Amino acid sequence: MDSEPVISNKSRVYLDKPYVKVFWSPEDSILMSKWSGFCTFEEIKAVGDRILDAVTFEGAQKVLYDARQIEVLDDNSQRYISGTFTQEMISSGVKFAAAVFPDDIFAKFSIDDIQRDIQERRISNVTYFQSISNAFNWLKHK
C-alpha cells in the first residue's frame, strides 16, 4: 500500500517557513522535513540546527527529507549537508534516513553531489528514493 506522510493533529511542528516544514510524526516515529524553493546557506544551517534540536528532543532515529520541490543548493550548503550536518545527525542517534530526489533536474545535480560526497566520506546512513511513498514506507518498516 502506498502512503505518504501527513501532518496530523498529534504531529509536533518544529519549523514552518516558506522553504521548509519540519515536523515530528509520533504515529510513525519519524522526523520529516519538506523542502521547497531556494534556500540560502544561512537558512540551510539554521534549519539543520533546528532539525538536530528536534532529533535530540524526540529521540528520533528515523528521518525523512522530502526534497522533491527544492531548488539548486550552493556549494557551501552542499558541503555543510554532506559533512558537518550528516555527522551530527548520526552522532545524535539517527539510524535511518531517507531522502527523496528533487523533481528539478538542476536541483537533482546538487543532491547527486551531496550523495557522492557522503559516500566518499563513508559516513552516511541516508538511502535515496525517487518517490515519497517508497521512502516513507521504507522508514516505517525500519
Side-chain angles (χ1 to χ4, degrees), residues 12-17 19-23 46-47 50:
R12 190 175 351 264
V13 177
Y14 279 89
L15 197 58
D16 190 358
K17 299 282 187 185
Y19 49 88
V20 68
K21 182 172 281 220
V22 177
F23 65 98
V47 172
R50 190 67 177 138

Side-chain angles (χ1 to χ4, degrees), residues 37-80:
F38 176 78
C39 305
T40 66
F41 170 70
E42 291 76 19
E43 290 167 335
I44 293 284
K45 178 78 171 74
V47 172
D49 290 344
R50 190 67 177 138
I51 288 173
L52 285 162
D53 289 344
V55 164
T56 300
F57 184 79
E58 300 294 352
Q61 295 183 0
K62 300 185 279 186
V63 177
L64 174 61
Y65 307 106
D66 180 356
R68 291 176 295 168
Q69 301 301 316
I70 201 166
E71 294 183 13
V72 175
L73 295 169
D74 63 54
D75 290 343
N76 287 335
S77 297
Q78 290 180 40
R79 280 191 295 275
Y80 167 72

Side-chain angles (χ1 to χ4, degrees), residues 1-141:
M1 178 175 90
D2 284 350
S3 60
E4 291 195 22
V6 294
I7 299 176
S8 73
N9 60 353
K10 294 179 182 177
S11 297
R12 190 175 351 264
V13 177
Y14 279 89
L15 197 58
D16 190 358
K17 299 282 187 185
Y19 49 88
V20 68
K21 182 172 281 220
V22 177
F23 65 98
W24 170 253
S25 170
E27 298 95 342
D28 303 305
S29 298
I30 299 173
L31 183 69
M32 303 181 210
S33 60
K34 182 174 176 135
W35 297 83
S36 77
F38 176 78
C39 305
T40 66
F41 170 70
E42 291 76 19
E43 290 167 335
I44 293 284
K45 178 78 171 74
V47 172
D49 290 344
R50 190 67 177 138
I51 288 173
L52 285 162
D53 289 344
V55 164
T56 300
F57 184 79
E58 300 294 352
Q61 295 183 0
K62 300 185 279 186
V63 177
L64 174 61
Y65 307 106
D66 180 356
R68 291 176 295 168
Q69 301 301 316
I70 201 166
E71 294 183 13
V72 175
L73 295 169
D74 63 54
D75 290 343
N76 287 335
S77 297
Q78 290 180 40
R79 280 191 295 275
Y80 167 72
I81 292 167
S82 66
T84 303
F85 178 73
T86 298
Q87 291 170 341
E88 289 177 349
M89 290 292 284
I90 293 168
S91 295
S92 295
V94 173
K95 297 192 182 328
F96 304 100
V100 183
F101 282 113
D103 296 330
D104 178 85
I105 188 67
F106 296 107
K108 187 178 182 312
F109 291 149
S110 294
I111 303 301
D112 286 344
D113 289 345
I114 292 168
Q115 180 184 19
R116 185 173 37 260
D117 194 28
I118 287 173
Q119 287 173 340
E120 287 174 3
R121 294 172 190 238
R122 300 171 196 242
I123 59 170
S124 179
N125 60 2
V126 180
T127 301
Y128 294 86
F129 295 87
Q130 296 294 328
S131 82
I132 189 71
S133 60
N134 287 347
F136 185 58
N137 285 327
W138 179 79
L139 277 174
K140 283 174 51 172
H141 293 97

